[in-house]
Amino acid sequence: MNKDFLSLSDWNRSDLDKIFDLTRDLKAKQKQGEAHRLLAGKTLGMIFEKSSTRTRVSFEAGMFQLGGHALFLSSSNTQMGRGEPVKDTARCMARYVDGVMIRTFSQQVVEEFAAYCDVPVVNGLTDLYHPCQLMADIFTVMEHKGEYQNLRFCWIGDGNNMANSWINAATAFGFELRIATPKGYHPDADVMERATKQGANIIYTNDPREAARNAQVLSTDVWASMGQEAEQQKRQQDFVGYQINMDLLKLADPESVVMHCLPAHRDEEITDEVMESRHSIIYDQAENRLHVQKAIMATLMA
Ligand code: CP
Ligand code: NVA
C-alpha cells in the first residue's frame, strides 16, 4: 500500500476499490449516526495555497467525524508562504501531525513534500491533478449507475487538472473515456502518453458532439482554473461550443448523468438548466468528497 495519495496513477485498481468499500461503510455509518472513530486522537494538517470551499470543509468535517482534528494552514500565514523550503516544512510537520493534505500550484511541490514527510500526504488539488475529486466522482457514478466498468464517460471542456485526473481514472479503472477540448487546450501530454502506453481506452477529439454521443456520464469544469484568471476572457471565446447544455445532452444516453466538480460558472461551461435538471448528480458528487476522503485518510493514517 502507498504511503501517500498524490495521483491515481500511483495506485492500482484493487487498492482503489478497497477505498470505495470503506467509503460505502463509513457513509452508511455516518448516515445511521454510528460511531466510526478510526482516527481518534490523530491530527491532519491542511495546507492551502489556493482557495477552497468543498475541500477544506470536507476534510475538516471528515477528520472530526473520524474522531480526529484538522488544522487549517493558509499560505498567507505560514513560513512556507514566505519562502521556507518545502522540505523543511515537510520534515517539521511530520513531527507534529499524523497526515498532511496540500492544495497548491505545482505537482512537484506535493511530490517533494511527500518525499520529505514521514507521514501520509494527500493531494487536495494541484495544477496537474485533483485525485480526491475523481475518487468522489467515480464513487458517485457507482451509486447512481451501480457500476463504472461498462459505462461510456466523456469530458468536455478544458484539458486541465480534472481532465488529467479523468485520464488517470480511465486508465486505473478501465472504462471508456472520450475527451473533447478545443485545439491548444488538450490535457497534459505526458499524462496522455502514459495512458496510451498503458492501453487506456481513451479517444481525444475537438468535437464535443462526438464526445457526448451515447455517453452515460458527462463531466466538465470551469474554462479558467485557479491561477488562470487573467485568461478568462480569451478562454471564453476559445471555448464557444463546449458548453454542456440541453441540446448536447440530447445526443447522450437518455438516462445520462452530468457531473461538475464545482465551483461552476453557470451558463458558461454548463447551463443553469442542466445543473438543475434530473441529469445532474453534482451535489451528490460534492457530498461524496466527504465520505471518500474519510476512507482515504483512514486507509493511510489509521
Ligand atoms: N471541487 C473542489 O475541489 O471544490 P473547492 O475548490 O471548493 O475545494
Ligand atoms: N480546475 C479547477 C478545479 C477546482 C476544484 C481549478 O483548478 O481551479
Side-chain angles (χ1 to χ4, degrees):
M1 185 72 73
N2 303 6
K3 174 177 95 58
D4 308 301
F5 197 80
L6 307 185
S7 164
L8 292 181
S9 59
D10 302 332
W11 284 70
N12 64 46
R13 178 171 167 185
S14 124
D15 287 338
L16 294 172
D17 278 335
K18 280 185 200 134
I19 293 177
F20 288 144
D21 291 341
L22 183 56
T23 304
R24 218 167 279 119
D25 180 50
L26 293 177
K27 181 169 181 175
K29 288 199 164 97
Q30 197 243 338
K31 297 283 177 197
Q32 287 151 19
E34 244 180 78
H36 49 284
R37 297 168 59 86
L38 302 184
L39 296 180
K42 304 228 172 177
T43 303
L44 177 78
M46 308 189 295
I47 300 174
F48 281 92
E49 300 203 294
K50 288 178 175 174
S51 302
S52 170
T53 298
R54 281 145 289 269
T55 304
R56 182 197 171 166
V57 177
S58 56
F59 270 102
E60 190 163 335
M63 268 311 275
F64 180 74
Q65 291 171 13
L66 290 167
H69 174 69
L71 201 60
F72 174 73
L73 301 159
S74 139
S75 58
S76 59
N77 44 33
T78 55
Q79 300 292 5
M80 208 169 115
R82 292 180 56 245
E84 180 172 7
V86 170
K87 58 187 179 185
D88 287 346
T89 309
R91 283 182 285 203
C92 295
M93 291 272 294
R95 307 279 178 122
Y96 307 132
V97 301
D98 304 285
V100 177
M101 190 244 57
I102 316 184
R103 167 170 286 197
T104 187
F105 293 86
S106 144
Q107 180 73 11
Q108 281 75 35
V109 166
V110 176
E111 309 270 351
E112 185 186 351
F113 198 102
Y116 284 95
C117 190
D118 285 338
V119 299
V121 176
V122 177
N123 181 353
L125 179 145
T126 62
D127 291 346
L128 191 65
Y129 294 134
H130 198 1
C132 294
Q133 181 71 57
L134 254 290
M135 288 297 281
D137 296 1
I138 306 301
F139 186 80
T140 309
V141 168
M142 277 196 288
E143 284 185 327
H144 283 268
K145 295 286 186 190
E147 59 151 345
Y148 58 69
Q149 182 71 59
N150 299 302
L151 301 176
R152 198 168 299 123
F153 290 74
C154 78
W155 174 264
I156 292 171
D158 190 18
N160 62 11
N161 44 10
M162 282 296 299
N164 294 332
S165 297
W166 272 103
I167 292 173
N168 286 344
T171 310
F173 293 113
F175 55 73
E176 179 183 341
L177 174 65
R178 290 188 212 149
I179 296 191
T181 59
K183 287 202 174 75
Y185 292 98
H186 57 72
D188 182 84
D190 293 336
V191 173
M192 291 196 290
E193 192 188 323
R194 188 182 52 230
T196 304
K197 276 191 186 142
Q198 293 182 5
N201 184 4
I202 304 176
I203 293 167
Y204 301 96
T205 171
N206 301 124
D207 180 0
R209 297 168 69 83
E210 183 191 342
R213 199 159 286 122
N214 301 324
Q216 279 122 348
V217 182
L218 300 93
S219 193
T220 189
D221 186 13
V222 289
W223 293 335
S225 286
M226 288 183 276
Q228 298 172 331
E229 289 78 4
E231 297 170 33
Q232 174 71 36
Q233 277 199 330
K234 175 170 177 14
R235 284 170 171 263
Q236 253 171 268
Q237 290 157 11
D238 292 347
F239 282 80
V240 167
Y242 286 80
Q243 182 185 67
I244 297 192
N245 53 36
M246 282 301 183
D247 279 343
L248 194 73
L249 269 195
K250 282 187 194 131
L251 299 172
D253 185 278
E255 297 307 315
S256 67
V257 293
V258 176
M259 313 188 85
H260 191 308
C261 63
L262 301 176
H265 290 169
R266 281 172 189 247
D267 296 328
E268 264 181 47
E269 74 275 5
I270 185 167
T271 58
D272 178 78
E273 189 181 12
V274 169
M275 286 189 74
E276 301 298 336
S277 74
R278 67 179 178 88
H279 297 280
S280 165
I281 57 170
I282 291 170
Y283 304 100
D284 292 338
Q285 185 187 355
E287 176 185 335
N288 283 329
R289 292 291 301 282
L290 171 72
H291 306 297
V292 94
Q293 287 161 195
K294 283 167 71 179
I296 292 170
M297 290 190 287
T299 300
L300 298 178
M301 291 164 63

